[in-house]
């Protein structure tokens, strides 16, 4: 789609990254980000709401602004860029996630658990991630735009590496690409409509992100006010979660195009609702880069001063102040370090002329084939480019495996040498796992070769949460390559029993009625006919969910080496009752939308003590004839304020399985 209401041709032909204009725009970016985030933080909610807000000034304010993950995480990424250098990748960023990010909200926690299990980006962002379409990555795009100003293609590739750590394969990646393209281009483009057109070139036309942005553009172009435009976006891309990325991309676009000044842009965006701190912060950074700090109204920016607030005091972010490269504490320091980072990135990309000047053509601001190639990358393929022979590992469908069922992976080896090479490929496996045959391959010069592996998976007694295999590549006549990991995640062992519901009985009566699977004290001999299943990730499989007029029991076991205080969530969309070790946890007679994160809502989440050894979790799910189907997720995290995932809690076996 072409945004046809471009009102000017105001595109600068060059930018001096050593000059005062660049510094002014850098400061404007972060002042705007802070202002929008501070305006939106007090009214942020977890669920989307039908009606807009009516907020036109800061509900709460303090020097430095309100602490916000949108801003402080990017300070960590700045440190990563400085320490690693301009060839920074998602695998580098994964280390900074685990070292520095303490909170585990939504996709943050799910992806960090994947990293701790041994999965690498992009698989860490794609597997078992209900929030793959949410706002975690679009909110942290400014750092890459500031490091690659007026070079959105370069900035977008950094934003992509960032996004796939916790959102691979989802709309959030597109949101990150859209935001960073607008922000990078805004260093030389002052026309708001042109900026949106540039941003749209960085996302697929078929995406929900593009659909939401186009709905916003069309509404404003039709002369609708911001409230009517908001309704258009919600109709185009409906979702019940406030952090759903496409909707927020649309709301940011409304705030940018419908506003006449900075304060109005922030207020309109926040009043649209949903992820208010994130969308408000982003539109603030857009405006701040376009206008520069000197042109932002003092009424909106003076309350912050030069300080930067973070969540380090309680551990939300960690090790910001210590180490060899502490993060900036003031805006002038942010600007100074970003100027240096931009020089480093742009020199590495050979984008500077005359020492510090970027020459810009309008065509270079739009996406090219190198960006469109990002859209088609497989979120289940891990590449190891640093090895002598570039190797990738592609999971067939999922990194999860089920006991006794073979799984399949494909390894691709690329020979960068000018001569053919002969390779010996061998997989090593955990103790007790059958080992696939060794392969001998010959690869022509500058060619690639695919090797398909069938990996036998043992029975449950040998299956763990994380099962680590290694690919050994031995090249005749070359030094030994390091072993490359192939991590397989053990599916959870669950079993289910069905009981027909008495027609006409309401859910309350069905929840109270004691059916055969509830009776008895021995978990191994509960009554009824049970079917064993394997659950990939946190979601219960479809076979474990109730059909119309059905009561469905689900049993699973949690193994703890030592007693653990845990936060347990049974996030069910329908009526549910749950017991842990025979003690009733809750009984909930309702239907609702789910939002399965570690912290969760109060409804269906409870703090428990897991005893040393085996713990039985028994769940009862009820569905009446006229009720829609509903999902159910099981989640376990620490019972403190951080809600760290618990990847060490065993879930791959039943209590009666043999343990080697």
């Amino acid at each position: 789609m072409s945004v046809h209401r471009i009102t000017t041709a105001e595109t600068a032909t060059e930018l001096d990254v050593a000059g005062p204009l660049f510094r002014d725009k850098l400061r404007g970016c972060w002042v705007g980000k802070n202002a929008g985030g501070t305006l939106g933080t007090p009214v942020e909610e977890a669920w989307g709401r039908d009606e807009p807000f009516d907020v036109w000034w800061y509900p709460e304010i303090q020097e430095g602004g309100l602490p916000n993950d949108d801003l402080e995480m990017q300070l960590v990424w700045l440190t990563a860029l400085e320490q690693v250098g301009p060839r920074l990748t998602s695998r580098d960023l994964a280390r900074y996630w685990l070292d520095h990010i303490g909170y585990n909200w939504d996709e943050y926690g799910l992806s960090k658990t994947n990293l701790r299990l041994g999965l690498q980006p992009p698989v860490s962002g794609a597997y078992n991630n209900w929030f793959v379409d949410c706002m975690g990555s679009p909110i942290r795009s400014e750092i890459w735009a500031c490091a690659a100003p007026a070079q959105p293609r370069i900035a977008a590739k950094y934003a992509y590496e960032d996004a796939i750590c916790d959102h691979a394969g989802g709309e959030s990646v597109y949101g990150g690409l859209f935001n960073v393209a607008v922000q990078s281009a805004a260093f030389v483009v002052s026309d708001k409509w042109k900026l949106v057109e540039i941003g749209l070139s960085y996302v697929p036309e078929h995406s929900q992100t593009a659909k939401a942005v186009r709905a916003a553009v069309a509404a404003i172009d039709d002369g609708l006010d911001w409230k009517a435009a908001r309704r258009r976006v919600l109709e185009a891309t409906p979702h019940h979660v406030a952090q759903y990325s496409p909707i927020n991309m649309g709301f940011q676009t409304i705030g940018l195009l419908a506003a006449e000044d900075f304060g109005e842009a922030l207020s309109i965006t926040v009043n649209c609702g949903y992820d208010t701190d994130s969308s408000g912060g982003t539109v603030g950074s857009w405006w701040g880069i376009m206008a520069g700090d000197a042109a932002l109204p003092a009424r909106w920016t003076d309350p912050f001063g030069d300080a930067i607030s973070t969540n380090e005091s309680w551990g939300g972010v960690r090790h910001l102040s210590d180490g060899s490269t502490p993060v900036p504490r003031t805006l002038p320091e942010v600007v100074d370090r970003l100027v240096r980072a931009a020089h480093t990135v742009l020199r590495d990309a050979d984008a500077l002329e005359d020492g510090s000047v970027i020459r810009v053509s309008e065509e270079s601001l739009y996406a090219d084939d190198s960006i469109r190639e990002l859209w088609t990358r497989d979120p289940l393929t891990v590449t190891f480019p640093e090895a002598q022979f570039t190797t990738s590992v592609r999971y067939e469908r999922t990194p999860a495996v089920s006991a006794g069922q073979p799984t399949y992976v494909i390894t691709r080896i690329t020979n960068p040498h000018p001569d053919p090479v002969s390779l010996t490929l061998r997989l090593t496996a955990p103790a007790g796992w059958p080992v696939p045959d060794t392969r001998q391959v010959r690869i022509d010069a500058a060619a690639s070769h695919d090797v398909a592996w069938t990996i036998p998976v043992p029975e449950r007694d040998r299956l763990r949460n994380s099962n680590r295999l290694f690919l050994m590549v031995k090249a005749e006549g070359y030094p030994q390559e390091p072993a490359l990991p192939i991590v397989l995640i053990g599916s959870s062992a669950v079993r289910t029993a069905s009981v027909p519901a008495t027609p006409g009985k309401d859910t309350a009566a069905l929840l109270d009625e004691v059916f055969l699977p509830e009776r008895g004290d021995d978990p191994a001999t509960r009554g009824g006919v049970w079917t064993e299943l394997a659950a990939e990730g946190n979601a219960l499989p479809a076979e474990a969910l109730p059909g119309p007029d059905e009561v469905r029991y689900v049993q699973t076991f949690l193994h703890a080496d030592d007693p653990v205080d845990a936060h347990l969530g049974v996030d069910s969309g329908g009526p549910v009752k749950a017991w842990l070790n025979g003690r009733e946890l809750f009984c909930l007679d309702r239907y609702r939308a789910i939002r399965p994160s570690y912290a969760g809502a109060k409804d269906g989440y409870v703090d428990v003590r897991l005893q040393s050894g085996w713990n039985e979790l028994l769940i009862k799910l009820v569905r009446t004839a006229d009720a829609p189907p509903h999902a159910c997720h099981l989640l376990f995290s620490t019972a403190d304020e951080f809600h760290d995932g618990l990847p060490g809690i065993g879930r791959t076996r039943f209590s009666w399985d043999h343990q080697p």
Side-chain angles (χ1 to χ4, degrees):
M1 171 186 178
S2 175
V3 181
H4 58 273
R5 193 175 152 182
I6 295 174
T7 56
T8 72
E10 295 180 31
T11 302
T13 57
E14 64 180 43
L15 177 69
D16 184 353
V17 293
L21 177 62
F22 179 52
R23 298 181 70 90
D24 186 57
K25 287 178 174 288
L26 285 176
R27 184 179 173 96
C29 171
W30 297 98
V31 168
K33 179 80 168 179
N34 207 357
T38 297
L39 181 67
T41 291
V43 296
E44 181 188 12
E45 297 176 342
W47 306 91
R49 49 184 282 161
D50 189 60
E51 295 302 319
F53 290 109
D54 187 22
V55 178
W56 300 93
W57 182 246
Y58 300 116
E60 182 182 344
I61 194 169
Q62 66 182 39
E63 184 179 3
L66 299 182
N68 197 308
D69 57 309
D70 308 36
L71 192 154
E72 65 195 8
M73 290 177 71
Q74 299 192 69
L75 302 179
V76 176
W77 291 185
L78 174 59
T79 297
L81 183 58
E82 293 170 330
Q83 292 180 344
V84 177
R87 305 297 172 92
L88 181 81
T89 69
S90 59
R91 292 178 64 206
D92 296 310
L93 287 171
R95 171 163 56 92
Y96 288 84
W97 269 103
L98 297 178
D99 287 346
H100 295 285
I101 308 305
Y103 31 64
N104 293 282
W105 303 318
D106 299 343
E107 58 265 50
Y108 296 171
L110 297 175
S111 62
K112 284 168 60 182
T113 295
N114 287 339
L115 291 172
R116 291 189 174 107
L117 286 167
L119 295 176
Q120 306 214 28
V123 185
S124 62
Y127 172 68
N128 191 29
N129 186 359
W130 192 86
F131 296 91
V132 74
D133 296 320
C134 289
M135 281 290 283
S137 62
I139 66 176
R140 51 183 197 255
S141 56
E142 287 87 358
I143 176 63
W144 312 121
C146 291
Q151 300 289 304
R153 294 174 188 172
I154 298 173
K157 290 169 185 175
Y158 281 108
Y160 176 84
E161 293 293 323
D162 180 2
I164 62 174
C165 288
D166 58 338
H167 296 88
E171 288 285 337
S172 186
V173 174
Y174 301 145
L177 295 177
F178 177 80
N179 277 357
V180 81
V182 171
Q183 288 152 348
S184 179
F187 281 97
V188 289
V189 174
S190 59
D191 188 293
K192 298 185 293 184
W193 294 80
K194 181 181 289 186
L195 285 174
V196 174
E197 181 177 72
I198 290 168
L200 278 170
S201 77
Y202 282 75
V203 299
E205 287 192 15
H206 68 269
S207 66
Q208 293 297 294
T209 299
K211 188 176 181 181
V213 173
R214 287 198 299 265
V217 168
I220 301 300
D221 201 32
D222 288 346
L224 300 183
D225 65 13
W226 67 267
K227 290 183 179 180
R230 175 185 185 271
R231 178 52 50 194
R232 287 266 192 98
V233 169
L234 292 175
E235 291 169 352
T237 54
H239 204 282
H240 67 275
V241 170
Q243 287 69 36
Y244 182 59
S245 175
I247 287 175
N248 289 285
M249 296 301 104
F251 289 172
Q252 293 167 188
T253 304
I254 293 170
L256 179 68
L257 298 181
E260 297 296 328
D261 57 50
F262 176 75
E264 188 179 28
L266 299 188
S267 299
I268 287 175
T269 305
V270 168
N271 283 329
C272 282
Y274 279 64
D275 198 358
T276 49
D277 66 323
S278 299
S279 57
T282 296
V283 84
S285 73
W286 288 356
W287 204 286
I289 296 171
M290 279 193 306
D293 178 59
L296 297 181
R299 172 175 178 264
W300 283 92
T301 62
D302 279 357
F304 301 117
D306 281 341
I308 296 174
S309 299
T310 73
N311 286 294
E312 188 175 18
S313 62
W314 64 273
V317 281
R318 305 184 301 120
H319 303 305
L320 301 192
S321 304
D322 55 18
S324 62
T325 316
V327 304
R329 286 300 187 183
T330 66
L331 278 174
E333 188 182 356
V334 171
V335 170
D336 288 343
R337 288 170 63 171
L338 281 171
V339 169
R340 292 195 294 270
H343 276 83
T344 300
V345 167
L346 297 171
R347 276 197 303 269
D348 183 73
D350 199 24
L352 291 179
E353 301 180 22
D354 302 326
S356 62
V357 174
I358 310 170
R359 308 288 181 192
V360 181
S361 69
E362 187 165 311
E363 179 188 5
S364 70
L365 300 175
Y366 289 82
D368 62 2
D369 286 344
S370 71
I371 299 301
R372 290 184 280 273
E373 185 270 332
L374 299 177
W375 304 342
T376 60
R377 287 191 183 176
D378 182 8
L380 292 178
T381 296
V382 179
T383 301
F384 301 90
E386 65 275 15
Q388 182 177 173
F389 299 91
T390 299
T391 303
S392 66
V393 176
R394 178 164 65 86
Y395 296 93
E396 180 196 34
R397 183 183 60 83
T398 172
V401 295
S402 300
Q405 300 294 318
T407 193
Y408 307 92
V409 298
I410 294 176
T411 56
R412 170 168 291 183
I413 316 292
T414 300
N415 172 22
H417 299 286
D419 296 309
V421 294
S422 295
L423 301 178
T424 300
L425 308 180
R426 181 168 60 91
L427 280 183
T428 65
W433 282 52
V435 179
D437 293 336
T438 297
R439 308 293 181 85
Q440 306 287 339
V441 300
R442 181 175 172 83
I443 309 178
D444 290 336
S448 298
H449 186 84
D450 287 353
V451 178
W453 301 86
T454 300
I455 302 175
V457 179
E459 296 304 320
R460 285 193 301 265
D461 59 355
R462 295 286 180 177
L463 193 62
R464 299 293 182 267
N465 291 1
S466 177
N467 306 276
R468 305 190 183 204
L469 294 81
F470 292 91
L471 175 66
M472 309 292 293
V473 180
K474 182 180 179 181
E476 185 177 321
Y478 289 92
Q480 177 61 49
E481 292 281 87
L484 301 176
I486 299 176
V487 178
L488 302 176
I489 306 301
S491 294
S492 298
V494 301
R495 65 175 191 161
T496 182
S498 173
V499 177
T502 304
K505 270 197 174 183
D506 61 22
T507 55
L510 291 171
L511 286 169
D512 286 341
E513 187 172 349
V514 179
F515 296 98
L516 191 59
E518 287 180 48
R519 298 173 188 165
D521 297 325
D522 185 354
T525 59
R526 290 198 175 279
V529 178
W530 292 86
T531 301
E532 294 183 356
L533 301 171
E536 293 183 12
N538 297 328
L540 291 180
E543 300 91 332
L545 302 175
D549 270 337
E550 185 179 32
V551 176
R552 178 71 68 168
Y553 287 87
V554 178
Q555 183 191 49
T556 191
F557 292 88
L558 314 175
H559 188 275
D561 292 333
D562 298 297
V564 176
D565 290 324
H567 190 62
L568 185 155
V570 182
D571 203 328
S572 170
V576 58
K577 194 172 186 177
W579 300 261
L580 181 68
N581 297 328
R583 180 176 67 87
E584 183 178 321
L585 300 177
F586 47 76
C587 182
L588 304 169
D589 181 16
R590 84 287 182 267
Y591 290 92
R592 64 157 175 76
I594 66 169
R595 198 180 187 285
S597 67
Y598 284 141
K602 293 181 179 179
D603 182 352
Y605 289 75
V606 62
D607 288 344
V608 299
R609 180 126 175 124
L610 299 180
Q611 64 191 22
S612 176
W614 290 106
N615 297 262
E616 182 206 22
L617 178 63
L618 183 66
I619 302 165
K620 182 179 185 179
L621 303 170
V622 173
R623 182 178 164 197
T624 54
D626 57 346
H630 52 267
C632 181
H633 288 234
L634 309 183
L635 300 105
F636 308 89
S637 63
T638 58
D640 55 23
E641 59 191 329
F642 299 106
H643 292 296
D644 278 300
L646 292 171
I649 298 297
R651 295 178 60 187
T652 59
R653 306 191 302 280
F654 295 116
S655 63
W656 50 85
D657 286 330
H658 169 69
Q659 299 177 60

